[in-house]
Amino acid sequence: MTLSIHVLLSFTLCLSCDGAISAKLSLPLAPTAAFAPPLGIGAVLFRPKVKVVKSNGEEDRLVDAGRFFVDAFWTGKVGGTEKLTSNQAATLERQQIAEFKKRYKTRSLPSGKLPGQYAGRSSDSRAELVLCLNANDECIGCAGVEVDKIKKMDGYDGAFVGPVMSNLAVSRKYRRMGLAEELVKATENIARKEWGYDTCYLYVEKRNTPAIKLYKKLGYSTLWEDPSATTLLPTADGRVANGTTTIVCMKKNVGAGLFANFFGQ
């Protein structure tokens, strides 16, 4: 079974020490993460004033986030080129904005459906993009969460529905300040408190070791790996091409108490 990952055209979850994640895309989902692990007490003492808010599907916020995401995630993406050409940046920005608008425009639970595990699973398509803003209301971080189908990858063709985090990215200037952790927690709170789910999922490239380390620290564990996945990569010759990668699906129980991730599903 092949899992295709592209941040621009479908839902993907990308994480790099400097990047972001997604999983099913028209643009594929970007694996979760462009950020660096926090450094310690200095990161807290000298952290600037920020706020974490929901985009609520507002177009201007989605456009700002799409522009921010190109530099924070695509520039220096693990496996790709360190710098984008002007053509690469323009193409990725146009596609990313279109993807964010498509993915995170306000979507509600169909009337008459119960939340979470009791929802009409196939019809629950809620999604939200969480933003981290600085004192000037500039986007310096984002993370998305979307109810989507997740492959079981157990030798059968089955799938189940759950909230998947993706498109996690933090501006280089604001990394190592604990903002990635805040964004992850914000998406988990939406999935648990607003949507009624007990488990959150994400996809991350296996070669993105800083991201995997962070997710494990936050309580995520590996569900499965797919070595036949593909991902979009900006290349040194100015193209944006498909490349092969191994995708790791991770999960975390967020609604069953302190020891849920040791004895959970």
Side-chain angles (χ1 to χ4, degrees):
M1 179 179 297
T2 299
L3 177 64
S4 178
I5 298 177
H6 312 281
V7 131
L8 302 177
L9 302 172
S10 55
F11 184 104
T12 316
L13 208 61
C14 288
L15 172 58
S16 75
C17 202
D18 306 307
I21 288 191
S22 347
K24 142 199 140 188
L25 306 178
S26 0
L27 257 178
L29 276 187
T32 14
F35 52 81
L39 288 179
I41 190 169
V44 177
L45 293 177
F46 301 104
R47 180 171 139 171
K49 182 178 180 181
V50 300
K51 59 183 177 182
V52 176
V53 300
K54 295 194 293 184
S55 67
N56 291 319
E58 296 176 15
E59 184 165 332
D60 57 343
R61 286 187 165 181
L62 296 179
V63 170
D64 287 344
R67 290 172 176 158
F68 150 80
F69 195 80
V70 171
D71 179 65
F73 176 72
W74 287 107
T75 302
K77 181 180 184 291
V78 175
T81 183
E82 286 298 315
K83 294 183 179 181
L84 300 177
T85 66
S86 58
N87 286 338
Q88 283 175 322
T91 298
L92 290 169
E93 179 178 301
R94 182 173 61 254
Q95 291 177 317
Q96 195 65 58
I97 290 173
E99 176 60 22
F100 277 4
K101 287 182 180 180
K102 176 183 178 181
R103 187 172 304 283
Y104 300 116
K105 277 288 189 180
T106 304
R107 291 187 286 175
S108 59
L109 187 67
S111 59
K113 300 295 184 181
L114 295 172
Q117 280 81 343
Y118 302 100
R121 294 168 181 252
S122 62
S123 59
D124 186 358
S125 60
R126 288 170 292 180
E128 181 62 80
L129 184 67
V130 178
L131 308 175
C132 183
L133 307 177
N134 65 13
N136 296 319
D137 275 346
E138 297 169 328
C139 182
I140 59 171
C142 68
V145 59
E146 172 179 0
V147 178
D148 195 37
K149 289 183 179 179
I150 302 163
K151 296 290 186 181
K152 290 185 177 180
M153 300 293 285
D154 58 0
Y156 300 94
D157 293 328
F160 57 95
V161 169
V164 181
M165 183 184 69
S166 65
N167 297 316
L168 172 62
V170 174
S171 171
R172 286 169 179 74
K173 181 179 177 180
Y174 293 90
R175 290 174 186 171
R176 301 179 181 272
M177 295 180 181
L179 301 185
E181 288 90 333
E182 278 198 36
L183 286 164
V184 171
K185 290 176 182 177
T187 63
E188 292 173 352
N189 283 337
I190 290 172
R192 180 171 64 89
K193 296 180 179 180
E194 298 183 23
W195 298 350
Y197 287 91
D198 293 328
T199 306
C200 287
Y201 301 85
L202 61 83
Y203 300 109
V204 59
E205 291 188 61
K206 189 173 183 178
R207 60 189 168 191
N208 195 341
T209 53
I212 291 178
K213 182 177 180 180
L214 173 68
Y215 291 138
K216 287 183 176 180
K217 173 185 173 183
L218 294 178
Y220 285 84
S221 59
T222 298
L223 183 60
W224 50 253
E225 294 185 8
D226 179 8
S228 60
T230 61
T231 184
L232 288 180
L233 289 173
T235 62
D237 60 2
R239 296 177 301 121
V240 177
N242 283 318
T244 58
T245 190
T246 295
I247 286 301
V248 181
C249 178
M250 304 184 78
K251 71 169 186 175
K252 176 183 177 180
N253 293 330
V254 295
L258 180 62
F259 299 104
N261 294 299
F262 292 99
F263 305 107
Q265 48 193 357

PDB file of all heavy atoms in Angstrom, residues 120-134:
ATOM      1  N   GLY A 120     -21.326  10.184  12.633  1.00  0.00           N
ATOM      2  CA  GLY A 120     -21.446   9.442  11.388  1.00  0.00           C
ATOM      3  C   GLY A 120     -20.072   9.523  10.745  1.00  0.00           C
ATOM      4  O   GLY A 120     -19.776  10.450  10.021  1.00  0.00           O
ATOM      5  N   ARG A 121     -19.207   8.589  11.046  1.00  0.00           N
ATOM      6  CA  ARG A 121     -17.774   8.700  10.783  1.00  0.00           C
ATOM      7  C   ARG A 121     -17.459   9.126   9.352  1.00  0.00           C
ATOM      8  O   ARG A 121     -16.600   9.968   9.137  1.00  0.00           O
ATOM      9  CB  ARG A 121     -17.090   7.376  11.099  1.00  0.00           C
ATOM     10  CG  ARG A 121     -17.134   7.043  12.580  1.00  0.00           C
ATOM     11  CD  ARG A 121     -16.706   5.602  12.822  1.00  0.00           C
ATOM     12  NE  ARG A 121     -16.779   5.300  14.247  1.00  0.00           N
ATOM     13  CZ  ARG A 121     -15.711   5.143  15.028  1.00  0.00           C
ATOM     14  NH1 ARG A 121     -14.520   5.318  14.550  1.00  0.00           N
ATOM     15  NH2 ARG A 121     -15.852   4.861  16.305  1.00  0.00           N
ATOM     16  N   SER A 122     -18.136   8.538   8.384  1.00  0.00           N
ATOM     17  CA  SER A 122     -17.799   8.851   7.011  1.00  0.00           C
ATOM     18  C   SER A 122     -18.161  10.277   6.629  1.00  0.00           C
ATOM     19  O   SER A 122     -17.645  10.816   5.665  1.00  0.00           O
ATOM     20  CB  SER A 122     -18.506   7.868   6.064  1.00  0.00           C
ATOM     21  OG  SER A 122     -19.903   7.989   6.205  1.00  0.00           O
ATOM     22  N   SER A 123     -19.067  10.908   7.393  1.00  0.00           N
ATOM     23  CA  SER A 123     -19.518  12.252   7.038  1.00  0.00           C
ATOM     24  C   SER A 123     -18.908  13.332   7.915  1.00  0.00           C
ATOM     25  O   SER A 123     -19.157  14.517   7.698  1.00  0.00           O
ATOM     26  CB  SER A 123     -21.054  12.323   7.125  1.00  0.00           C
ATOM     27  OG  SER A 123     -21.490  11.993   8.436  1.00  0.00           O
ATOM     28  N   ASP A 124     -18.122  12.968   8.911  1.00  0.00           N
ATOM     29  CA  ASP A 124     -17.479  13.957   9.781  1.00  0.00           C
ATOM     30  C   ASP A 124     -16.220  14.455   9.082  1.00  0.00           C
ATOM     31  O   ASP A 124     -15.244  13.733   8.942  1.00  0.00           O
ATOM     32  CB  ASP A 124     -17.127  13.309  11.128  1.00  0.00           C
ATOM     33  CG  ASP A 124     -16.585  14.332  12.128  1.00  0.00           C
ATOM     34  OD1 ASP A 124     -16.443  15.515  11.757  1.00  0.00           O
ATOM     35  OD2 ASP A 124     -16.315  13.951  13.277  1.00  0.00           O
ATOM     36  N   SER A 125     -16.244  15.703   8.628  1.00  0.00           N
ATOM     37  CA  SER A 125     -15.099  16.238   7.874  1.00  0.00           C
ATOM     38  C   SER A 125     -14.612  17.554   8.468  1.00  0.00           C
ATOM     39  O   SER A 125     -14.110  18.416   7.756  1.00  0.00           O
ATOM     40  CB  SER A 125     -15.491  16.444   6.410  1.00  0.00           C
ATOM     41  OG  SER A 125     -16.561  17.363   6.305  1.00  0.00           O
ATOM     42  N   ARG A 126     -14.738  17.690   9.782  1.00  0.00           N
ATOM     43  CA  ARG A 126     -14.341  18.952  10.418  1.00  0.00           C
ATOM     44  C   ARG A 126     -12.830  19.170  10.329  1.00  0.00           C
ATOM     45  O   ARG A 126     -12.046  18.224  10.349  1.00  0.00           O
ATOM     46  CB  ARG A 126     -14.792  18.955  11.881  1.00  0.00           C
ATOM     47  CG  ARG A 126     -16.301  19.112  12.036  1.00  0.00           C
ATOM     48  CD  ARG A 126     -16.757  18.870  13.453  1.00  0.00           C
ATOM     49  NE  ARG A 126     -16.597  17.470  13.853  1.00  0.00           N
ATOM     50  CZ  ARG A 126     -16.932  17.005  15.040  1.00  0.00           C
ATOM     51  NH1 ARG A 126     -17.421  17.830  15.950  1.00  0.00           N
ATOM     52  NH2 ARG A 126     -16.795  15.722  15.321  1.00  0.00           N
ATOM     53  N   ALA A 127     -12.452  20.446  10.217  1.00  0.00           N
ATOM     54  CA  ALA A 127     -11.040  20.801  10.112  1.00  0.00           C
ATOM     55  C   ALA A 127     -10.825  22.193  10.682  1.00  0.00           C
ATOM     56  O   ALA A 127     -11.719  23.035  10.627  1.00  0.00           O
ATOM     57  CB  ALA A 127     -10.582  20.757   8.657  1.00  0.00           C
ATOM     58  N   GLU A 128      -9.640  22.415  11.251  1.00  0.00           N
ATOM     59  CA  GLU A 128      -9.308  23.729  11.813  1.00  0.00           C
ATOM     60  C   GLU A 128      -7.813  23.963  11.687  1.00  0.00           C
ATOM     61  O   GLU A 128      -7.009  23.041  11.862  1.00  0.00           O
ATOM     62  CB  GLU A 128      -9.719  23.802  13.285  1.00  0.00           C
ATOM     63  CG  GLU A 128      -9.434  25.139  13.954  1.00  0.00           C
ATOM     64  CD  GLU A 128     -10.188  26.301  13.323  1.00  0.00           C
ATOM     65  OE1 GLU A 128     -11.376  26.467  13.642  1.00  0.00           O
ATOM     66  OE2 GLU A 128      -9.568  27.005  12.494  1.00  0.00           O
ATOM     67  N   LEU A 129      -7.442  25.195  11.362  1.00  0.00           N
ATOM     68  CA  LEU A 129      -6.038  25.594  11.341  1.00  0.00           C
ATOM     69  C   LEU A 129      -5.805  26.541  12.515  1.00  0.00           C
ATOM     70  O   LEU A 129      -6.455  27.578  12.631  1.00  0.00           O
ATOM     71  CB  LEU A 129      -5.685  26.304  10.028  1.00  0.00           C
ATOM     72  CG  LEU A 129      -4.210  26.671   9.873  1.00  0.00           C
ATOM     73  CD1 LEU A 129      -3.354  25.408   9.740  1.00  0.00           C
ATOM     74  CD2 LEU A 129      -3.990  27.583   8.666  1.00  0.00           C
ATOM     75  N   VAL A 130      -4.885  26.146  13.404  1.00  0.00           N
ATOM     76  CA  VAL A 130      -4.548  26.946  14.579  1.00  0.00           C
ATOM     77  C   VAL A 130      -3.337  27.804  14.247  1.00  0.00           C
ATOM     78  O   VAL A 130      -2.367  27.319  13.659  1.00  0.00           O
ATOM     79  CB  VAL A 130      -4.245  26.036  15.790  1.00  0.00           C
ATOM     80  CG1 VAL A 130      -3.860  26.878  16.998  1.00  0.00           C
ATOM     81  CG2 VAL A 130      -5.468  25.176  16.109  1.00  0.00           C
ATOM     82  N   LEU A 131      -3.376  29.074  14.645  1.00  0.00           N
ATOM     83  CA  LEU A 131      -2.295  30.010  14.338  1.00  0.00           C
ATOM     84  C   LEU A 131      -1.644  30.521  15.608  1.00  0.00           C
ATOM     85  O   LEU A 131      -2.311  30.726  16.632  1.00  0.00           O
ATOM     86  CB  LEU A 131      -2.842  31.211  13.555  1.00  0.00           C
ATOM     87  CG  LEU A 131      -3.675  30.898  12.311  1.00  0.00           C
ATOM     88  CD1 LEU A 131      -4.231  32.189  11.724  1.00  0.00           C
ATOM     89  CD2 LEU A 131      -2.851  30.145  11.283  1.00  0.00           C
ATOM     90  N   CYS A 132      -0.335  30.734  15.535  1.00  0.00           N
ATOM     91  CA  CYS A 132       0.405  31.403  16.604  1.00  0.00           C
ATOM     92  C   CYS A 132       0.794  32.774  16.057  1.00  0.00           C
ATOM     93  O   CYS A 132       1.460  32.866  15.023  1.00  0.00           O
ATOM     94  CB  CYS A 132       1.649  30.608  16.994  1.00  0.00           C
ATOM     95  SG  CYS A 132       2.569  31.314  18.368  1.00  0.00           S
ATOM     96  N   LEU A 133       0.358  33.844  16.739  1.00  0.00           N
ATOM     97  CA  LEU A 133       0.588  35.204  16.273  1.00  0.00           C
ATOM     98  C   LEU A 133       1.488  35.957  17.246  1.00  0.00           C
ATOM     99  O   LEU A 133       1.399  35.772  18.461  1.00  0.00           O
ATOM    100  CB  LEU A 133      -0.743  35.949  16.143  1.00  0.00           C
ATOM    101  CG  LEU A 133      -1.843  35.270  15.310  1.00  0.00           C
ATOM    102  CD1 LEU A 133      -3.114  36.105  15.339  1.00  0.00           C
ATOM    103  CD2 LEU A 133      -1.379  35.044  13.873  1.00  0.00           C
ATOM    104  N   ASN A 134       2.350  36.818  16.703  1.00  0.00           N
ATOM    105  CA  ASN A 134       3.193  37.638  17.584  1.00  0.00           C
ATOM    106  C   ASN A 134       2.456  38.907  17.988  1.00  0.00           C
ATOM    107  O   ASN A 134       1.257  39.068  17.693  1.00  0.00           O
ATOM    108  CB  ASN A 134       4.538  37.942  16.916  1.00  0.00           C
ATOM    109  CG  ASN A 134       4.398  38.795  15.661  1.00  0.00           C
ATOM    110  OD1 ASN A 134       3.343  39.381  15.385  1.00  0.00           O
ATOM    111  ND2 ASN A 134       5.462  38.878  14.883  1.00  0.00           N
TER     112      ASN A 134
END
